[in-house]
Amino acid sequence: MGNNKKTTDFLKECMSDALISLMEQKDFSKITVNDIADIAGVNRSTWFRNFNSKNEALTFKMIRLWNRWSDEHGLMERKRFTLDNANEFFCFNYEYRRILRIIYTSRLQSVLYDSFYQVMMPQFRADVEECYHARFYSYGLFGLLDEWIRRDFYETPQEMAQLIYKITADA
């Protein structure tokens, strides 16, 4: 059953969702693999076959949400940040602000950065400029998102996109 990619991704998402659900109820460090497996309806071995850590499960979930959201919104450029997709980036994060708050409450901000970087980093051989470009934008976007979350999403996604246009124009 686990050899099919769709099945594997489905099970990984079930386990990630179970973890997020548990994070709303108890401290992250107290959540066990047994807790996650019980809620997801899988065996412990399924967890260990798919994830090395709880952080990895959360990163998987964020990337999965981004890819799904990109498909639903017809985003042409989804593997790297451009000014043209700034509004979509902030709309995506606003839509999933509940999950972002859960991640922040558990002090797992690095999960968001890891997700951004994995989405933005070229998957194959990249030249030096591409590597630095991906790092620059993933750190910069993480910084903006971090501040926005800490401000409890006070600005609208459109205001955040305008802010990034202004910041890059002033640079």
Side-chain angles (χ1 to χ4, degrees), residues 105-121:
T105 299
S106 297
R107 294 186 210 112
L108 298 169
Q109 294 86 333
S110 63
V111 165
L112 296 180
Y113 174 74
D114 290 344
S115 303
F116 295 161
Y117 185 68
Q118 286 183 38
V119 166
M120 289 184 195
M121 189 61 203

Side-chain angles (χ1 to χ4, degrees), residues 25-88:
Q25 302 166 24
K26 62 197 275 190
D27 185 77
F28 184 76
S29 64
K30 296 186 186 328
I31 297 170
T32 67
V33 170
N34 286 340
D35 294 335
I36 298 166
D38 287 346
I39 289 179
V42 299
N43 295 321
R44 283 174 45 88
S45 60
T46 303
W47 170 268
F48 289 112
R49 191 172 40 251
N50 289 284
F51 296 119
N52 293 316
S53 69
K54 293 182 284 187
N55 287 29
E56 186 179 321
L58 293 171
T59 299
F60 169 83
K61 180 63 176 183
M62 292 308 299
I63 292 169
R64 185 93 165 150
L65 289 173
W66 171 251
N67 288 331
R68 185 176 297 131
W69 194 91
S70 297
D71 286 344
E72 290 170 1
H73 291 83
L75 204 62
M76 299 306 285
E77 182 61 70
R78 66 178 70 187
K79 292 289 187 186
R80 67 185 195 91
F81 178 79
T82 66
L83 287 177
D84 293 336
N85 66 11
N87 189 61
E88 285 81 5

